[in-house]
Amino acid sequence: MTREQKRRVRAELRACGQGKSDWAGVIALAMDYYEAADPVCKRLLQMRYLDGMSEERVVAKLHIGRTTYYHKELEALSTVGIYAAAAGLM
């Protein structure tokens, strides 16, 4: 995933958290996927991007280290990006 793609996915996630994104369906698909596949990724997406929590607070609430946070974040952003690409949004 390129920096530009990560930036775009992050912006759309934040916009969705404010009710201003056309990606709501794509994000819902990713959240449904992570419900079963990896609840930590789901909670990370929810807290960090949809609820707007700081990175430090998310790390503390999930009881994970920073390395795990960055790994899970990249995985989750990539998944949202794949769903967006499949829907023709990227």
Side-chain angles (χ1 to χ4, degrees):
M1 175 169 247
T2 67
R3 284 184 182 170
E4 179 58 29
Q5 289 169 328
K6 282 196 284 190
R7 187 200 61 75
R8 174 96 191 274
V9 171
R10 284 179 174 132
E12 291 295 338
L13 282 163
R14 287 183 180 111
C16 188
Q18 299 170 354
K20 301 176 185 175
S21 177
D22 296 332
W23 286 31
V26 167
I27 294 166
L29 286 173
M31 297 295 270
D32 289 345
Y33 168 74
Y34 280 124
E35 178 75 36
D38 190 343
V40 172
C41 283
K42 180 184 179 190
R43 292 186 63 212
L44 186 149
L45 283 173
Q46 179 68 47
M47 289 190 285
R48 177 72 176 127
Y49 296 103
L50 302 178
D51 297 341
M53 283 186 190
S54 70
E55 188 177 295
E56 294 80 19
R57 191 155 178 224
V58 173
V59 167
K61 284 204 165 268
L62 292 177
H63 305 289
I64 59 175
R66 201 165 286 281
T67 301
T68 301
Y69 172 87
Y70 290 127
H71 175 77
K72 295 290 185 183
E73 179 193 35
L74 179 59
E75 178 184 343
L77 293 175
S78 297
T79 301
V80 173
I82 289 168
Y83 280 118
L89 297 171
M90 276 185 83

